[in-house]
Amino acid sequence: YPGEVFHLTEVGLISGRSIRAAAITIRDVRWAVAEVSAPDLVAGSREYTVEEEGGFRASVVRAIVANRSLVQLRNVAASALAFDSAGNLLGVHRTMVDELAAGSSQPIQFRWPTVLPGEVASLIVEVRSPALLPSGP
């Protein structure tokens, strides 16, 4: 959407070697003029905890996502990014919200299988919906 800044998050990528850097190249951009506004999605009440379940400790981020739009949204992508005090990324997680009614909110949770490798100093939780983006060529 115009003027939007966000993090690209893809989880579960498997590599046979250690990844030190990644680059993204965007080609063949086709701009589209839309007569509608971007969805008004926000994430609040972000909280990081370390929890124990079944003898295993895991990092957990909880947040509340809210759809302040006037339309129901489907396939809302939510991403959590955890940083240490130096701004280093400690962990990233992504989940989907199947449906979020207009004017509603709901809790979401991100759970890592282990404890993140460092002290979490800040969190970013982003929510995005492709609902109003043009589809296809």
Side-chain angles (χ1 to χ4, degrees), residues 6-66:
F6 63 95
H7 294 87
L8 293 174
T9 55
E10 287 297 327
V11 296
L13 301 175
I14 298 173
S15 172
R17 56 187 167 160
S18 177
I19 299 172
R20 296 186 188 272
I24 296 173
T25 302
I26 300 173
R27 296 186 178 136
D28 299 323
V29 175
R30 295 184 194 163
W31 296 102
V33 177
E35 298 297 324
V36 294
S37 300
D40 189 0
L41 287 164
V42 294
S45 302
R46 294 172 295 280
E47 174 189 47
Y48 172 78
T49 59
V50 174
E51 298 178 359
E52 187 169 329
E53 186 177 312
F56 296 98
R57 296 178 70 220
S59 290
V60 179
V61 170
R62 288 187 176 80
I64 304 291
V65 294

Side-chain angles (χ1 to χ4, degrees), residues 103-121:
S104 72
S105 62
Q106 75 178 54
I108 58 171
Q109 175 178 283
F110 306 89
R111 179 179 288 274
W112 284 264
T114 60
V115 176
L116 293 176
E119 186 175 331
V120 175

Side-chain angles (χ1 to χ4, degrees), residues 51-125:
E51 298 178 359
E52 187 169 329
E53 186 177 312
F56 296 98
R57 296 178 70 220
S59 290
V60 179
V61 170
R62 288 187 176 80
I64 304 291
V65 294
N67 177 7
R68 301 187 304 192
S69 303
L70 299 176
V71 297
Q72 176 177 324
L73 298 172
R74 296 184 191 279
N75 302 320
V76 174
S79 299
L81 297 95
F83 298 90
D84 66 13
S85 60
N88 298 308
L89 181 65
L90 298 174
V92 62
H93 208 308
R94 185 174 180 199
T95 191
M96 298 296 288
V97 178
D98 294 332
E99 265 181 38
L100 198 53
S104 72
S105 62
Q106 75 178 54
I108 58 171
Q109 175 178 283
F110 306 89
R111 179 179 288 274
W112 284 264
T114 60
V115 176
L116 293 176
E119 186 175 331
V120 175
S122 64
L123 294 169
I124 295 175
V125 177

